[in-house]
């Protein structure tokens, strides 16, 4: 399923779209497993600057939380190819991201986000201790594909390193110089005739 991007939803989320209608969620909750097809994997890889994504799947439990709110919990699993920041070699890695996100009607979610932003701007809240504001329910739906795409992007290491690869400084510096501070090295250079 592909949905049209809305102004409050980035286009990248729409690459993998799996909307569910909140009216279809029973009081006991709804278990859903989703998996991206090959074309979606290729598009997500390109959008995230990756050579390849071999697999992206997610398992979610959608649960009503009060009269108009919902909670989505689960896990996103992916097999991605990244480029090592040290050796520049491609390597594969597995990602597992836990998901626990609340959803509320769009107006309520926007008001909660604005209140949260004001608290953060005034240093009135410790972000680490505060719950995130809810995501919006758009047109009576929650897009689980967009949620999986978002957590895939959040789980990517911005400085990927192939297992077993370490950074070794190159140049004419000896082992003792590696332990010195840059200022002591500059001081020695300044003392030279």
């Amino acid at each position: 399923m592909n949905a049209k991007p809305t102004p409050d939803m980035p286009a990248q989320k729409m690459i993998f779209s799996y909307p569910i209608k909140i009216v279809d969620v029973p009081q006991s909750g709804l278990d859903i497993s989703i998996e991206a097809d090959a074309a979606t994997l290729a598009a997500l890889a390109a959008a995230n600057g990756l050579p390849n994504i071999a697999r992206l799947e997610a398992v979610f439990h959608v649960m009503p939380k009060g009269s108009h709110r919902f909670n989505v919990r689960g896990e996103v699993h992916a097999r991605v190819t990244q480029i090592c920041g040290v050796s520049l070699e491609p390597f594969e890695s597995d990602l597992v991201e836990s998901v626990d996100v609340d959803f509320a009607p769009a107006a309520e979610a926007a008001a909660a986000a604005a209140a949260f932003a004001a608290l953060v701007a005034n240093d009135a809240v410790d972000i680490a201790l505060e719950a995130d504001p809810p995501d919006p329910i758009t047109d009576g739906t929650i897009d689980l594909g967009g949620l999986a795409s978002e957590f895939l992007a959040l789980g990517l290491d911005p400085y990927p390193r192939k297992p077993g690869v370490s950074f070794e400084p190159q140049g004419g510096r000896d082992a003792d110089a590696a332990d010195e501070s840059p200022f002591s090295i500059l001081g020695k250079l300044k003392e030279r005739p």
Side-chain angles (χ1 to χ4, degrees):
M1 285 184 188
N2 285 326
K4 293 180 184 176
T6 60
D8 57 25
M9 189 175 290
Q12 182 174 337
K13 281 188 173 183
M14 303 317 294
I15 292 172
F16 183 27
S17 184
Y18 193 97
I20 61 161
K21 294 193 176 297
I22 59 172
V23 295
D24 295 338
V25 179
Q27 268 316 106
S28 60
L30 183 64
D31 292 318
I32 297 178
S33 296
I34 62 175
E35 187 172 343
D37 62 21
T40 302
L41 293 173
L44 283 169
N48 286 289
L50 300 172
N52 187 44
I53 300 176
R55 175 178 54 92
L56 173 61
E57 52 194 34
V59 178
F60 294 119
H61 181 72
V62 183
M63 187 74 176
K65 187 179 180 183
S67 59
H68 301 291
R69 286 186 171 224
F70 291 82
N71 176 262
V72 178
R73 287 182 190 221
E75 284 189 340
V76 174
H77 298 261
R79 178 96 175 149
V80 301
T81 302
Q82 292 184 280
I83 301 297
C84 177
V86 177
S87 69
L88 302 180
E89 297 174 281
F91 70 99
E92 289 188 334
S93 60
D94 291 315
L95 297 177
V96 178
E97 289 294 310
S98 295
V99 176
D100 186 357
V101 178
D102 289 332
F103 286 83
E108 188 179 326
F116 183 78
L119 289 173
V120 171
N122 294 326
D123 291 328
V125 65
D126 183 355
I127 296 174
L129 300 176
E130 193 67 27
D132 288 336
D135 283 6
I137 297 170
T138 306
D139 297 327
T141 64
I142 295 172
D143 190 346
L144 297 179
L147 191 62
S149 300
E150 180 182 341
F151 275 82
L152 165 72
L154 290 170
L156 293 173
D157 186 346
Y159 305 104
R161 185 175 292 183
K162 184 177 180 179
V165 172
S166 62
F167 179 73
E168 299 294 331
Q170 297 189 0
R173 294 177 57 187
D174 59 19
D176 293 335
D179 293 334
E180 292 184 66
S181 77
F183 297 110
S184 64
I185 294 170
L186 285 173
K188 288 179 182 178
L189 290 173
K190 196 174 177 184
E191 294 172 2
R192 288 184 181 174

